[in-house]
């Protein structure tokens, strides 16, 4: 099969959906399929790839990492001209919710190709957290969608859920990356039958790390070691995490992996509160290095609440046997309660108390133990086998098994 994947942001930019796309692509190619990723051209230095199809774009963030493409006839013509030189597309996989989603459905409907849609974005929370005048943004998105994607199919009142339902009604299959997000889509009328398919962990990297640990167990850290991985942005609750570290006053090391607009503010906070001996800003690292960092740590800390549709780092930690502190109760419910720490509520004080508890249990040797069998169910090979079956079902039509 030739699978055409659409993403709102370039796969080489930072973000969980981008990691998911890169990983899925590699495993689909290993299974003998061709994958082309269509995303807005990135206005920052990045690795290039002949299977990236970068649509003309404009930067939308100050650091120029993220960009947007305007859907419409000009983009349609540009896309058709470039895809004409490639093997015929069999399946369109929409892994976008904004401009590229609209472009994806225009392409799929223009060429009579089935579309599968993985809904990565908790739009109701995401727009509220990241955009000024969120209701105005939602209204503008809905107007834009109705203008360039016709006829209107949604039966819900105009809003976030109608916007997503418009896509869902055009998709042969809708995928949610977690049970809790599938429930959100169902409860809000977007779709009642979303397939749950999480992003897995790279089998080869997982096997390599686990084999290394079995052959040569690592010595305990001199101080409990925690990792936090993500964009340095408000919705990830980076500053709340640092405030919890300050309140906890524990003798531990917290390594932060990632980059973003809050880096300067976070560094200033650490300097102001004399936390430099405990907080280390590592920067962005490769996927492999981030997994090694998780495996080397005593615990992972997840801090966003209500924003993540999967919480990839939590699943990666579980697969690697590293217990996580999980702030989001929806993500926590996806894993066995005995394998995680969970703050009592969403407050900074509760997170600080969870950090104290984790440090005490790590030091005493009573930290949660992650069930080893999770490593198998969370492998990307397992998820890719299921994804290919969904592609085949979409190609076979409604009666396909």
């Amino acid at each position: 099969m030739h699978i055409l994947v659409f993403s709102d942001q370039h796969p080489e930019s930072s973000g969980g959906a981008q990691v998911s796309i890169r990983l899925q692509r590699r495993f689909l190619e290993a299974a003998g399929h061709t994958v082309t990723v269509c995303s807005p051209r990135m206005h920052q230095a990045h690795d290039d790839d002949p299977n990236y199809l970068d649509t003309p774009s404009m930067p939308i963030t100050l650091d120029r990492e993220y960009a947007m493409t305007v859907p419409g006839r000009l983009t349609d013509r540009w896309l058709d001209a470039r895809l004409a030189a490639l093997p015929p597309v069999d399946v369109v996989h929409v892994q976008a919710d904004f401009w590229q989603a609209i472009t994806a459905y225009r392409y799929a409907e223009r060429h009579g190709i089935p579309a599968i849609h993985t809904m990565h974005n908790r739009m109701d929370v995401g727009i509220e957290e990241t955009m000024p005048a969120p209701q105005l943004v939602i209204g503008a998105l809905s107007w834009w969608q109705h203008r360039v994607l016709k006829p209107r199919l949604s039966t819900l009142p105009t809003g976030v859920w109608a916007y997503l339902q418009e896509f869902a009604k055009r998709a042969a299959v809708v995928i949610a990356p977690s049970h809790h997000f599938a429930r959100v889509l169902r409860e809000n009328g977007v779709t009642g039958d979303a397939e749950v398919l999480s992003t897995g962990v790279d089998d080869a990297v997982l096997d390599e790390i686990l084999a290394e640990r079995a052959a040569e167990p690592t010595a305990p850290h001199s101080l409990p070691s925690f990792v936090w991985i993500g964009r340095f942005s408000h919705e990830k609750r980076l500053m709340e995490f640092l405030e919890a570290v300050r309140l906890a006053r524990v003798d531990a090391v917290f390594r932060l992996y990632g980059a973003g607009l809050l880096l300067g503010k976070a560094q200033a906070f650490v300097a102001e509160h004399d936390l430099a001996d405990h907080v280390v800003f590592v920067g962005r690292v490769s996927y492999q290095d981030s997994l090694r960092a998780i495996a080397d740590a005593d615990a992972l800390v997840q801090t966003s609440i209500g924003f993540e549709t999967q919480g990839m780092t939590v699943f990666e930690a579980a697969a690697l046997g590293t217990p996580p502190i999980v702030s989001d109760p929806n993500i926590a419910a996806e894993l066995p309660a005995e394998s995680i720490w969970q703050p009592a509520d969403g407050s900074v004080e509760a997170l600080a108390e969870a950090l104290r508890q984790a440090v005490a249990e790590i030091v005493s040797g009573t930290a949660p133990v992650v069930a080893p069998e999770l490593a198998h169910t969370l492998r990307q090979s397992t998820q890719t086998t299921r994804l290919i079956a969904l592609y085949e079902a979409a190609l076979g039509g409604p009666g396909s098994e």
Side-chain angles (χ1 to χ4, degrees):
M1 284 183 285
H2 180 191
I3 301 131
L4 178 60
V5 176
F6 284 83
S7 170
D8 283 322
Q9 295 305 335
H10 199 280
E12 296 298 329
S13 63
S14 59
Q18 294 90 311
V19 171
S20 175
I21 289 167
R22 294 198 301 267
L23 193 58
Q24 287 178 14
R25 175 196 160 190
R26 191 151 57 78
F27 275 74
L28 286 167
E29 288 176 341
H33 304 289
T34 299
V35 181
T36 301
V37 182
C38 180
S39 61
R41 182 171 70 87
M42 189 173 171
H43 297 261
Q44 222 185 51
H46 62 278
D47 292 338
D48 202 5
D49 188 289
N51 286 340
Y52 289 161
L53 195 59
D54 297 349
T55 52
S57 70
M58 63 187 79
I60 56 172
T61 56
L62 293 175
D63 60 5
R64 300 173 67 82
E65 182 174 9
Y66 302 110
M68 68 169 286
T69 291
V70 178
R73 292 177 183 174
L74 288 177
T75 299
D76 292 346
R77 287 198 290 268
W78 185 97
L79 192 58
D80 285 348
R82 276 135 186 96
L83 284 167
L86 300 178
V89 174
D90 296 294
V91 178
V92 169
H93 191 160
V94 188
Q95 302 218 41
D97 296 294
F98 300 107
W99 34 90
Q100 294 302 87
I102 294 172
T103 297
Y105 282 105
R106 285 172 66 94
Y107 179 83
E109 292 171 7
R110 198 162 60 249
H111 295 279
I113 299 169
I116 284 182
H117 196 146
T118 298
M119 293 190 168
H120 288 283
N121 199 322
R122 182 70 194 260
M123 282 182 61
D124 58 324
V125 177
I127 291 176
E128 186 76 33
E129 289 284 340
T130 60
M131 299 284 185
Q135 292 306 313
L136 186 61
V137 171
I138 292 167
L141 282 171
S142 299
W143 173 84
W144 191 12
Q145 183 191 58
H146 296 159
R147 186 172 184 272
V148 296
L149 199 60
K150 298 177 180 179
R152 185 175 189 265
L153 301 180
S154 173
T155 56
L156 297 173
T158 299
V160 164
W161 307 117
Y163 178 86
L164 291 178
Q165 190 198 50
E166 186 69 44
F167 293 139
K169 282 184 171 292
R170 296 171 186 272
V173 178
V174 175
I175 296 173
S178 66
H179 290 90
H180 75 260
F181 191 49
R183 185 180 69 249
V184 168
L185 295 176
R186 182 175 64 253
E187 290 174 350
N188 288 282
V190 174
T191 180
D193 56 357
E195 298 281 348
V196 177
L197 187 67
S198 303
T199 297
V201 183
D202 188 320
D203 295 47
V205 179
L206 182 59
D207 286 340
E208 183 178 338
I209 293 173
L210 293 177
E212 288 173 358
R213 294 297 178 272
E216 192 174 340
T218 55
H221 297 101
S222 57
L223 293 176
S225 174
F226 294 79
V227 293
W228 184 99
I229 300 176
R231 285 192 306 275
F232 289 6
S233 53
H234 291 289
E235 70 275 6
K236 298 292 186 177
R237 298 180 74 234
L238 171 64
M239 299 310 299
E240 288 86 345
F241 170 54
L242 292 176
E243 176 64 14
V245 170
R246 184 188 73 81
L247 290 176
R249 297 184 180 278
V250 289
D251 206 10
V253 176
F254 300 89
R255 291 182 172 83
L256 280 66
Y257 291 79
L261 298 176
L262 289 181
L263 175 59
K265 183 176 181 180
Q267 290 173 325
F269 181 93
V270 168
E272 179 185 353
H273 296 285
D274 297 320
L275 295 174
D277 290 340
H278 298 282
V279 177
V280 179
F281 293 95
V282 182
R284 286 182 62 178
V285 297
S286 68
Y287 173 77
Q288 291 84 350
D289 286 343
S290 70
L291 290 185
R292 289 190 176 280
I294 294 171
D296 288 340
D298 293 308
L300 173 128
V301 187
Q302 181 274 330
T303 51
S304 66
I305 298 176
F307 181 78
E308 313 292 342
T309 55
Q310 176 177 345
M312 283 176 57
T313 58
V314 172
F315 283 73
E316 289 163 352
L320 290 161
T322 300
I325 296 175
V326 186
S327 296
D328 191 322
N330 286 319
I331 298 174
E334 302 275 343
L335 295 170
E338 64 274 12
S339 66
I340 65 174
W341 292 283
Q342 187 178 358
D345 55 47
S347 67
V348 171
E349 292 77 11
L351 179 56
E353 180 55 36
L355 292 175
R356 294 188 200 101
Q357 179 186 353
V359 168
E361 293 182 4
I362 290 167
V363 171
S364 67
T366 59
V369 176
V370 182
E373 54 268 22
L374 281 175
H376 173 73
T377 59
L378 296 174
R379 286 174 177 269
Q380 184 57 41
S381 58
T382 303
Q383 306 305 320
T384 299
T385 298
R386 293 187 57 218
L387 180 59
I388 292 170
L390 292 175
Y391 290 155
E392 291 172 345
L395 286 168
S400 178
E401 293 297 328

